[in-house]
Amino acid sequence: MTEESPRIAGSRPRVAILFGGRSSEHAVSCVTAAGVMGAIDKTKYEVIPIGIAKSGQWVLASGDTSQWSLSSAALPEVAPSGKTVTLAEVGGEHQLIVTEPNAVPQELGSVDVVFPLLHGPWGEDGTIQGLLELSDTRYVGAGVLASAVGMDKHFMKVVFESAGLSVGPYIAVTDRDWLTDAEAVRKRVDKLGFPVFVKPARAGSSMGISKVDSMEELDAAVEEARRHDLKLVIEAGIVGREIECAVLQGRGTDTPRVSMPGEIAVAAGEHQFYDFAAKYVEDGAAALSCPADMPDEAIARVRELAAVAFDAVGAEGLSRVDFFYTPAGELVINEINTMPGFTPKSMYPQMWAASGLAYGELIDELIHLALTRKTGLR
Ligand SMILES: Nc1ncnc2c1ncn2[C@@H]1O[C@H](COP(=O)(O)OP(=O)(O)O)[C@@H](O)[C@H]1O
Ligand SMILES: [Mg+2]
Protein backbone atom coordinates (compact mmCIF):
# COMPACT_ATOMS: atom_id res chain seq x y z
CA MET A 1 0.00 0.00 0.00
CA THR A 2 1.61 3.24 -1.11
CA GLU A 3 0.69 6.87 -0.32
CA GLU A 4 1.61 8.49 -3.60
CA SER A 5 1.96 7.14 -7.07
CA PRO A 6 5.72 7.08 -7.70
CA ARG A 7 5.28 8.71 -11.09
CA ILE A 8 3.19 11.76 -10.17
CA ALA A 9 6.17 14.02 -9.60
CA GLY A 10 8.11 12.79 -12.62
CA SER A 11 6.99 12.02 -16.13
CA ARG A 12 3.42 12.27 -17.38
CA PRO A 13 1.22 9.79 -15.50
CA ARG A 14 -0.04 7.03 -17.79
CA VAL A 15 -3.82 6.83 -17.73
CA ALA A 16 -5.55 3.72 -19.08
CA ILE A 17 -9.03 4.60 -20.26
CA LEU A 18 -11.27 1.56 -20.00
CA PHE A 19 -14.47 1.62 -22.04
CA GLY A 20 -17.06 -0.46 -23.85
CA GLY A 21 -17.75 -3.39 -21.58
CA ARG A 22 -20.19 -6.23 -21.26
CA SER A 23 -23.32 -4.32 -20.29
CA SER A 24 -26.12 -3.10 -22.52
CA GLU A 25 -24.63 0.38 -22.09
CA HIS A 26 -21.56 -0.60 -24.16
CA ALA A 27 -22.18 2.01 -26.86
CA VAL A 28 -22.86 4.78 -24.35
CA SER A 29 -19.53 3.98 -22.71
CA CYS A 30 -17.73 4.28 -26.08
CA VAL A 31 -19.26 7.73 -26.60
CA THR A 32 -18.11 8.76 -23.12
CA ALA A 33 -14.59 7.57 -23.94
CA ALA A 34 -14.59 9.71 -27.08
CA GLY A 35 -15.48 12.73 -24.96
CA VAL A 36 -12.80 12.10 -22.36
CA MET A 37 -10.06 11.26 -24.88
CA GLY A 38 -10.91 14.44 -26.76
CA ALA A 39 -10.65 16.64 -23.69
CA ILE A 40 -7.93 15.11 -21.52
CA ASP A 41 -4.77 17.23 -21.31
CA LYS A 42 -2.26 15.16 -23.31
CA THR A 43 0.62 17.39 -22.29
CA LYS A 44 -0.08 16.30 -18.72
CA TYR A 45 -1.20 12.68 -19.16
CA GLU A 46 -0.29 9.84 -21.47
CA VAL A 47 -3.49 8.09 -22.56
CA ILE A 48 -3.78 4.37 -23.28
CA PRO A 49 -7.22 3.49 -24.67
CA ILE A 50 -8.33 -0.01 -23.69
CA GLY A 51 -11.61 -1.25 -25.09
CA ILE A 52 -13.59 -4.09 -23.53
CA ALA A 53 -15.48 -6.06 -26.17
CA LYS A 54 -18.99 -7.30 -25.44
CA SER A 55 -17.46 -10.74 -24.87
CA GLY A 56 -15.36 -9.29 -22.05
CA GLN A 57 -12.07 -9.37 -23.96
CA TRP A 58 -9.74 -6.42 -23.34
CA VAL A 59 -8.15 -5.01 -26.50
CA LEU A 60 -5.87 -2.14 -27.36
CA ALA A 61 -8.28 0.40 -28.85
CA SER A 62 -8.00 3.30 -31.21
CA GLY A 63 -7.49 6.75 -29.73
CA ASP A 64 -9.26 8.23 -32.76
CA THR A 65 -12.30 9.76 -31.10
CA SER A 66 -14.36 9.91 -34.30
CA GLN A 67 -14.53 6.12 -34.22
CA TRP A 68 -16.33 6.16 -30.88
CA SER A 69 -18.76 9.01 -31.33
CA LEU A 70 -22.49 8.70 -31.89
CA SER A 71 -22.41 10.51 -35.22
CA SER A 72 -21.67 7.35 -37.19
CA ALA A 73 -24.66 5.44 -38.59
CA ALA A 74 -24.14 2.40 -36.35
CA LEU A 75 -23.69 2.52 -32.58
CA PRO A 76 -19.97 2.40 -31.71
CA GLU A 77 -18.69 -0.99 -30.56
CA VAL A 78 -15.33 -2.38 -29.46
CA ALA A 79 -14.42 -5.18 -31.87
CA PRO A 80 -12.80 -8.36 -30.51
CA SER A 81 -9.19 -8.88 -31.56
CA GLY A 82 -6.62 -11.66 -31.86
CA LYS A 83 -4.56 -9.74 -29.31
CA THR A 84 -5.73 -9.66 -25.71
CA VAL A 85 -4.62 -7.01 -23.21
CA THR A 86 -4.18 -7.92 -19.56
CA LEU A 87 -3.12 -5.95 -16.54
CA ALA A 88 -0.50 -7.64 -14.41
CA GLU A 89 2.00 -6.71 -11.75
CA VAL A 90 5.49 -7.17 -13.11
CA GLY A 91 8.53 -6.10 -11.12
CA GLY A 92 6.43 -3.97 -8.76
CA GLU A 93 4.76 -2.00 -11.56
CA HIS A 94 1.34 -2.37 -13.12
CA GLN A 95 2.05 -3.44 -16.66
CA LEU A 96 -0.28 -3.79 -19.60
CA ILE A 97 0.64 -6.91 -21.50
CA VAL A 98 -0.52 -7.92 -24.95
CA THR A 99 -0.81 -11.63 -25.62
CA GLU A 100 -1.70 -13.50 -28.78
CA PRO A 101 -1.58 -17.19 -29.57
CA ASN A 102 1.89 -18.54 -30.45
CA ALA A 103 3.66 -15.23 -29.81
CA VAL A 104 5.88 -13.88 -27.08
CA PRO A 105 3.83 -11.53 -24.80
CA GLN A 106 4.54 -7.90 -25.47
CA GLU A 107 4.72 -5.27 -22.73
CA LEU A 108 2.86 -2.01 -23.32
CA GLY A 109 4.41 -0.34 -20.33
CA SER A 110 3.16 0.53 -16.90
CA VAL A 111 -0.09 2.17 -15.87
CA ASP A 112 -0.39 4.74 -13.09
CA VAL A 113 -4.14 5.02 -12.97
CA VAL A 114 -7.15 3.43 -14.65
CA PHE A 115 -10.15 5.55 -15.61
CA PRO A 116 -13.04 3.07 -15.91
CA LEU A 117 -15.58 4.81 -18.13
CA LEU A 118 -17.93 1.87 -17.90
CA HIS A 119 -21.64 2.04 -17.24
CA GLY A 120 -23.89 -0.68 -15.88
CA PRO A 121 -23.08 -4.23 -14.76
CA TRP A 122 -19.43 -5.39 -15.07
CA GLY A 123 -18.15 -1.85 -14.91
CA GLU A 124 -20.15 0.40 -12.62
CA ASP A 125 -21.04 -2.37 -10.18
CA GLY A 126 -17.82 -3.11 -8.31
CA THR A 127 -16.60 -5.98 -10.45
CA ILE A 128 -13.96 -4.06 -12.39
CA GLN A 129 -13.15 -2.16 -9.19
CA GLY A 130 -12.50 -5.51 -7.48
CA LEU A 131 -10.21 -6.58 -10.29
CA LEU A 132 -8.23 -3.35 -9.99
CA GLU A 133 -8.04 -3.68 -6.21
CA LEU A 134 -6.73 -7.22 -6.57
CA SER A 135 -3.85 -5.93 -8.66
CA ASP A 136 -3.33 -2.91 -6.34
CA THR A 137 -3.98 -0.52 -9.22
CA ARG A 138 -5.25 3.02 -8.67
CA TYR A 139 -8.48 3.98 -10.42
CA VAL A 140 -10.96 6.81 -10.73
CA GLY A 141 -14.29 6.66 -8.93
CA ALA A 142 -16.14 4.62 -6.35
CA GLY A 143 -14.71 1.47 -4.77
CA VAL A 144 -16.12 -2.06 -4.70
CA LEU A 145 -18.94 -1.74 -2.18
CA ALA A 146 -20.08 1.77 -3.16
CA SER A 147 -20.19 0.73 -6.80
CA ALA A 148 -22.17 -2.42 -6.02
CA VAL A 149 -24.67 -0.60 -3.79
CA GLY A 150 -25.05 2.19 -6.36
CA MET A 151 -25.79 -0.37 -9.06
CA ASP A 152 -28.53 -2.21 -7.18
CA LYS A 153 -31.77 -0.23 -7.11
CA HIS A 154 -32.95 -2.31 -4.12
CA PHE A 155 -29.91 -2.06 -1.86
CA MET A 156 -29.32 1.59 -2.67
CA LYS A 157 -32.82 2.32 -1.31
CA VAL A 158 -32.10 0.35 1.86
CA VAL A 159 -28.97 2.43 2.41
CA PHE A 160 -30.70 5.71 1.53
CA GLU A 161 -33.56 5.02 3.94
CA SER A 162 -31.15 4.31 6.76
CA ALA A 163 -29.42 7.63 6.03
CA GLY A 164 -32.75 9.40 6.48
CA LEU A 165 -33.39 10.16 2.80
CA SER A 166 -36.93 10.06 1.46
CA VAL A 167 -37.44 7.00 -0.77
CA GLY A 168 -40.67 6.35 -2.69
CA PRO A 169 -42.81 3.22 -2.10
CA TYR A 170 -41.32 0.15 -3.79
CA ILE A 171 -41.01 -3.61 -3.63
CA ALA A 172 -38.06 -5.83 -4.54
CA VAL A 173 -38.93 -8.99 -6.50
CA THR A 174 -36.51 -11.90 -6.74
CA ASP A 175 -36.47 -14.63 -9.33
CA ARG A 176 -37.86 -17.02 -6.73
CA ASP A 177 -40.70 -14.63 -5.81
CA TRP A 178 -41.82 -14.39 -9.42
CA LEU A 179 -41.40 -18.04 -10.36
CA THR A 180 -42.96 -19.55 -7.24
CA ASP A 181 -45.76 -17.08 -6.45
CA ALA A 182 -46.44 -14.46 -9.11
CA GLU A 183 -49.87 -13.90 -7.61
CA ALA A 184 -48.32 -12.71 -4.34
CA VAL A 185 -46.15 -10.31 -6.34
CA ARG A 186 -49.27 -8.98 -8.12
CA LYS A 187 -50.92 -8.37 -4.74
CA ARG A 188 -47.91 -6.41 -3.51
CA VAL A 189 -47.93 -4.38 -6.74
CA ASP A 190 -51.63 -3.68 -6.32
CA LYS A 191 -50.90 -2.15 -2.91
CA LEU A 192 -48.39 0.25 -4.49
CA GLY A 193 -51.14 1.54 -6.82
CA PHE A 194 -50.80 2.28 -10.53
CA PRO A 195 -48.89 3.50 -12.38
CA VAL A 196 -45.81 1.57 -11.32
CA PHE A 197 -42.32 1.49 -12.81
CA VAL A 198 -40.98 -2.02 -13.34
CA LYS A 199 -37.18 -2.08 -13.41
CA PRO A 200 -34.32 -4.55 -13.57
CA ALA A 201 -32.57 -4.05 -10.21
CA ARG A 202 -29.18 -3.75 -11.88
CA ALA A 203 -29.23 -2.00 -15.25
CA GLY A 204 -29.01 1.56 -16.49
CA SER A 205 -29.83 4.00 -19.29
CA SER A 206 -33.51 3.10 -18.70
CA MET A 207 -32.88 -0.33 -20.27
CA GLY A 208 -35.65 -2.81 -19.45
CA ILE A 209 -37.76 -0.21 -17.60
CA SER A 210 -41.51 0.06 -18.28
CA LYS A 211 -44.20 2.29 -16.95
CA VAL A 212 -47.19 0.09 -16.19
CA ASP A 213 -50.69 1.58 -15.92
CA SER A 214 -52.71 -1.53 -15.12
CA MET A 215 -52.38 -5.11 -13.87
CA GLU A 216 -52.93 -6.44 -17.41
CA GLU A 217 -49.62 -4.89 -18.50
CA LEU A 218 -47.61 -6.16 -15.52
CA ASP A 219 -46.49 -9.59 -16.73
CA ALA A 220 -45.10 -8.28 -20.02
CA ALA A 221 -43.20 -5.55 -18.16
CA VAL A 222 -41.81 -8.09 -15.68
CA GLU A 223 -40.62 -10.34 -18.50
CA GLU A 224 -39.01 -7.38 -20.26
CA ALA A 225 -37.14 -6.36 -17.09
CA ARG A 226 -36.12 -9.98 -16.44
CA ARG A 227 -34.25 -9.99 -19.75
CA HIS A 228 -31.77 -7.65 -18.05
CA ASP A 229 -31.80 -8.92 -14.48
CA LEU A 230 -33.72 -11.66 -12.66
CA LYS A 231 -33.99 -9.36 -9.67
CA LEU A 232 -36.49 -6.53 -10.08
CA VAL A 233 -37.61 -3.42 -8.32
CA ILE A 234 -41.19 -2.22 -8.78
CA GLU A 235 -41.87 1.34 -7.69
CA ALA A 236 -44.95 3.49 -7.27
CA GLY A 237 -44.91 6.23 -9.90
CA ILE A 238 -43.81 9.54 -8.42
CA VAL A 239 -45.19 12.78 -9.80
CA GLY A 240 -42.42 15.35 -9.73
CA ARG A 241 -39.76 17.23 -11.64
CA GLU A 242 -36.50 15.33 -12.25
CA ILE A 243 -33.73 17.22 -10.45
CA GLU A 244 -30.12 16.04 -10.28
CA CYS A 245 -26.88 17.11 -8.63
CA ALA A 246 -23.29 16.32 -9.55
CA VAL A 247 -21.11 15.33 -6.60
CA LEU A 248 -17.31 15.37 -6.65
CA GLN A 249 -15.24 13.95 -3.83
CA GLY A 250 -13.46 16.57 -1.75
CA ARG A 251 -9.66 16.65 -1.61
CA GLY A 252 -8.08 14.99 1.41
CA THR A 253 -10.54 15.03 4.28
CA ASP A 254 -12.76 17.74 2.72
CA THR A 255 -16.49 17.07 2.42
CA PRO A 256 -17.91 16.29 -1.04
CA ARG A 257 -18.35 19.16 -3.49
CA VAL A 258 -21.85 19.47 -4.94
CA SER A 259 -22.77 21.30 -8.15
CA MET A 260 -25.80 23.46 -8.72
CA PRO A 261 -28.81 21.21 -9.43
CA GLY A 262 -29.96 20.57 -12.98
CA GLU A 263 -33.31 19.56 -14.35
CA ILE A 264 -34.30 17.06 -17.03
CA ALA A 265 -37.57 17.89 -18.71
CA VAL A 266 -38.85 15.25 -21.10
CA ALA A 267 -40.93 16.64 -23.98
CA ALA A 268 -44.57 16.00 -23.10
CA GLY A 269 -46.44 13.50 -25.22
CA GLU A 270 -43.47 11.98 -27.04
CA HIS A 271 -42.14 9.85 -24.19
CA GLN A 272 -43.88 8.39 -21.17
CA PHE A 273 -40.75 9.00 -19.11
CA TYR A 274 -36.98 9.57 -19.51
CA ASP A 275 -36.46 6.40 -21.56
CA PHE A 276 -33.48 5.23 -23.65
CA ALA A 277 -34.61 7.05 -26.79
CA ALA A 278 -35.14 10.32 -24.93
CA LYS A 279 -31.70 9.91 -23.33
CA TYR A 280 -29.59 9.10 -26.34
CA VAL A 281 -31.40 8.72 -29.63
CA GLU A 282 -33.79 11.57 -30.25
CA ASP A 283 -32.33 15.04 -30.29
CA GLY A 284 -34.52 17.45 -28.40
CA ALA A 285 -36.61 14.79 -26.64
CA ALA A 286 -35.26 15.92 -23.28
CA ALA A 287 -34.16 19.38 -22.22
CA LEU A 288 -31.34 19.64 -19.68
CA SER A 289 -31.15 22.89 -17.77
CA CYS A 290 -28.81 24.05 -15.06
CA PRO A 291 -29.27 25.64 -12.64
CA ALA A 292 -32.77 24.27 -12.20
CA ASP A 293 -35.43 26.91 -11.67
CA MET A 294 -36.24 26.26 -8.00
CA PRO A 295 -36.48 28.37 -4.86
CA ASP A 296 -33.10 29.01 -3.19
CA GLU A 297 -34.17 27.03 -0.16
CA ALA A 298 -34.93 23.95 -2.31
CA ILE A 299 -31.62 24.34 -4.14
CA ALA A 300 -29.75 24.35 -0.84
CA ARG A 301 -31.70 21.30 0.35
CA VAL A 302 -31.17 19.21 -2.79
CA ARG A 303 -27.43 19.93 -2.70
CA GLU A 304 -27.25 18.91 0.92
CA LEU A 305 -29.20 15.69 0.28
CA ALA A 306 -26.98 14.83 -2.69
CA ALA A 307 -23.93 14.93 -0.41
CA VAL A 308 -25.77 12.76 2.13
CA ALA A 309 -26.53 10.18 -0.60
CA PHE A 310 -22.88 10.23 -1.78
CA ASP A 311 -21.60 9.55 1.73
CA ALA A 312 -24.40 7.06 2.51
CA VAL A 313 -23.16 4.60 -0.11
CA GLY A 314 -19.51 5.47 0.59
CA ALA A 315 -18.96 6.87 -2.90
CA GLU A 316 -15.62 8.29 -4.02
CA GLY A 317 -14.57 10.31 -7.05
CA LEU A 318 -17.85 11.21 -8.69
CA SER A 319 -21.56 10.46 -8.57
CA ARG A 320 -24.74 11.94 -9.95
CA VAL A 321 -27.64 11.91 -7.52
CA ASP A 322 -31.15 12.06 -8.99
CA PHE A 323 -34.30 13.22 -7.23
CA PHE A 324 -37.98 13.80 -7.88
CA TYR A 325 -39.10 17.24 -6.71
CA THR A 326 -42.79 16.87 -5.96
CA PRO A 327 -45.42 19.60 -6.26
CA ALA A 328 -45.56 19.59 -2.44
CA GLY A 329 -41.86 20.53 -2.37
CA GLU A 330 -40.60 17.12 -1.21
CA LEU A 331 -37.32 15.75 -2.54
CA VAL A 332 -37.66 12.00 -3.10
CA ILE A 333 -34.41 10.32 -4.07
CA ASN A 334 -34.54 8.20 -7.24
CA GLU A 335 -31.00 6.93 -7.57
CA ILE A 336 -27.25 7.45 -7.42
CA ASN A 337 -25.03 6.77 -10.42
CA THR A 338 -21.40 6.18 -9.49
CA MET A 339 -20.33 6.41 -13.14
CA PRO A 340 -22.87 8.80 -14.64
CA GLY A 341 -23.06 9.72 -18.32
CA PHE A 342 -19.81 11.57 -18.88
CA THR A 343 -19.76 12.88 -22.45
CA PRO A 344 -19.24 16.66 -22.67
CA LYS A 345 -22.98 16.98 -23.29
CA SER A 346 -24.03 14.74 -20.39
CA MET A 347 -25.75 16.11 -17.35
CA TYR A 348 -22.86 15.49 -14.92
CA PRO A 349 -20.23 17.57 -16.77
CA GLN A 350 -22.87 20.13 -17.76
CA MET A 351 -23.82 20.68 -14.13
CA TRP A 352 -20.16 21.19 -13.23
CA ALA A 353 -19.66 23.54 -16.17
CA ALA A 354 -22.61 25.61 -14.94
CA SER A 355 -21.04 25.57 -11.47
CA GLY A 356 -17.65 26.83 -12.70
CA LEU A 357 -15.69 23.64 -13.39
CA ALA A 358 -15.05 22.96 -17.09
CA TYR A 359 -14.98 19.43 -18.58
CA GLY A 360 -11.18 19.30 -18.96
CA GLU A 361 -10.65 20.54 -15.40
CA LEU A 362 -13.14 17.98 -14.12
CA ILE A 363 -11.24 15.13 -15.80
CA ASP A 364 -7.99 16.50 -14.37
CA GLU A 365 -9.45 16.70 -10.86
CA LEU A 366 -10.82 13.13 -11.01
CA ILE A 367 -7.43 11.79 -12.07
CA HIS A 368 -5.74 13.83 -9.35
CA LEU A 369 -8.10 12.37 -6.73
CA ALA A 370 -7.36 8.85 -7.96
CA LEU A 371 -3.59 9.34 -8.08
CA THR A 372 -3.44 10.70 -4.55
CA ARG A 373 -5.76 8.09 -3.04
CA LYS A 374 -4.31 5.16 -1.17
CA THR A 375 -5.00 1.72 -2.57
CA GLY A 376 -6.29 -0.76 -0.06
CA LEU A 377 -9.61 -1.80 1.43
CA ARG A 378 -12.39 0.01 -0.37
N1 LIG B 1 -40.85 5.77 -9.43
C1 LIG B 1 -40.84 6.53 -10.54
N2 LIG B 1 -41.80 7.48 -10.74
C2 LIG B 1 -41.78 8.25 -11.86
N3 LIG B 1 -40.89 8.14 -12.85
C3 LIG B 1 -39.91 7.22 -12.72
C4 LIG B 1 -39.84 6.37 -11.55
N4 LIG B 1 -38.78 5.57 -11.69
C5 LIG B 1 -38.24 5.88 -12.89
N5 LIG B 1 -38.90 6.86 -13.52
C6 LIG B 1 -38.56 7.42 -14.84
O1 LIG B 1 -37.74 6.49 -15.52
C7 LIG B 1 -36.43 7.03 -15.74
C8 LIG B 1 -35.36 5.95 -15.59
O2 LIG B 1 -35.45 5.36 -14.30
P1 LIG B 1 -34.15 5.18 -13.40
O3 LIG B 1 -34.57 4.47 -12.17
O4 LIG B 1 -33.49 6.48 -13.25
O5 LIG B 1 -33.28 4.17 -14.27
P2 LIG B 1 -31.82 4.26 -14.91
O6 LIG B 1 -30.90 3.76 -13.86
O7 LIG B 1 -31.89 3.36 -16.08
O8 LIG B 1 -31.59 5.71 -15.25
C9 LIG B 1 -36.33 8.17 -14.74
O9 LIG B 1 -35.40 9.14 -15.17
C10 LIG B 1 -37.76 8.68 -14.74
O10 LIG B 1 -38.03 9.45 -15.92
MG1 LIG C 1 -31.73 7.31 -14.00
Side-chain angles (χ1 to χ4, degrees):
M1 198 156 78
T2 39
E3 275 282 350
E4 284 262 305
S5 170
R7 293 172 140 263
I8 305 175
S11 54
R12 285 181 303 165
R14 301 188 85 213
V15 182
I17 297 205
L18 265 188
F19 65 97
R22 292 177 54 199
S23 84
S24 51
E25 292 174 277
H26 181 101
V28 178
S29 166
C30 295
V31 178
T32 296
V36 171
M37 288 194 283
I40 193 168
D41 183 350
K42 300 210 177 65
T43 64
K44 200 165 171 188
Y45 302 107
E46 193 180 335
V47 174
I48 312 157
I50 307 286
I52 302 182
K54 287 183 175 171
S55 61
Q57 186 196 15
W58 292 28
V59 303
L60 197 56
S62 164
D64 172 11
T65 54
S66 65
Q67 194 182 321
W68 307 114
S69 56
L70 255 192
S71 47
S72 48
L75 290 175
E77 184 176 334
V78 175
S81 153
K83 297 180 178 184
T84 296
V85 174
T86 48
L87 184 63
E89 193 173 321
V90 182
E93 291 210 331
H94 304 101
Q95 298 278 347
L96 283 169
I97 298 175
V98 182
T99 53
E100 60 186 313
N102 308 315
V104 177
Q106 180 201 339
E107 282 186 15
L108 278 183
S110 65
V111 169
D112 296 296
V113 63
V114 172
F115 200 153
L117 293 172
L118 301 159
H119 306 294
W122 306 292
E124 195 179 347
D125 63 346
T127 50
I128 208 87
Q129 290 75 13
L131 185 77
L132 296 170
E133 291 293 347
L134 276 173
S135 62
D136 198 34
T137 306
R138 289 161 198 267
Y139 56 94
V140 172
V144 177
L145 180 81
S147 300
V149 171
M151 188 77 249
D152 189 307
K153 292 188 194 305
H154 169 213
F155 284 113
M156 84 167 86
K157 289 183 203 298
V158 172
V159 170
F160 289 155
E161 278 175 324
S162 73
L165 293 162
S166 168
V167 171
Y170 76 97
I171 60 168
V173 178
T174 64
D175 187 37
R176 186 177 64 210
D177 293 338
W178 184 246
L179 294 183
T180 62
D181 198 353
E183 203 40 45
V185 173
R186 291 188 194 101
K187 280 193 186 122
R188 290 162 69 208
V189 169
D190 206 43
K191 278 195 191 140
L192 290 174
F194 290 96
V196 292
F197 283 79
V198 178
K199 309 178 177 184
R202 295 155 294 194
S205 292
S206 299
M207 302 262 189
I209 298 185
S210 312
K211 183 182 181 204
V212 170
D213 292 305
S214 69
M215 197 57 86
E216 289 70 57
E217 298 167 21
L218 183 71
D219 286 31
V222 166
E223 291 311 335
E224 172 59 21
R226 282 168 57 84
R227 290 176 50 224
H228 297 263
D229 190 355
L230 294 178
K231 179 179 171 184
L232 312 182
V233 162
I234 304 182
E235 301 175 8
I238 307 278
V239 176
R241 291 162 61 189
E242 293 195 53
I243 303 290
E244 325 194 317
C245 275
V247 187
L248 180 63
Q249 183 188 346
R251 285 194 177 195
T253 53
D254 290 352
T255 53
R257 295 165 265 186
V258 185
S259 74
M260 288 300 282
E263 175 164 15
I264 306 271
V266 179
E270 294 289 309
H271 298 268
Q272 288 261 339
F273 61 96
Y274 194 30
D275 59 12
F276 184 83
K279 279 179 180 172
Y280 303 106
V281 184
E282 289 161 32
D283 269 346
L288 319 183
S289 55
C290 185
D293 183 12
M294 304 163 79
D296 287 350
E297 169 275 324
I299 289 182
R301 198 151 39 94
V302 70
R303 295 179 74 195
E304 189 186 314
L305 296 178
V308 170
F310 186 86
D311 284 339
V313 303
E316 292 173 275
L318 72 165
S319 286
R320 200 191 68 227
V321 185
D322 303 348
F323 297 87
F324 297 111
Y325 180 47
T326 72
E330 198 190 354
L331 284 159
V332 178
I333 192 161
N334 177 32
E335 62 165 342
I336 188 167
N337 290 284
T338 54
M339 186 54 227
F342 200 80
T343 74
K345 286 187 194 163
S346 301
M347 201 61 184
Y348 184 90
Q350 287 288 322
M351 287 190 281
W352 274 122
S355 309
L357 192 60
Y359 190 55
E361 292 169 327
L362 182 59
I363 292 168
D364 192 44
E365 182 64 14
L366 286 168
I367 295 173
H368 171 85
L369 287 168
L371 281 171
T372 51
R373 175 172 77 183
K374 281 184 189 175
T375 57
L377 290 178
R378 297 180 34 250

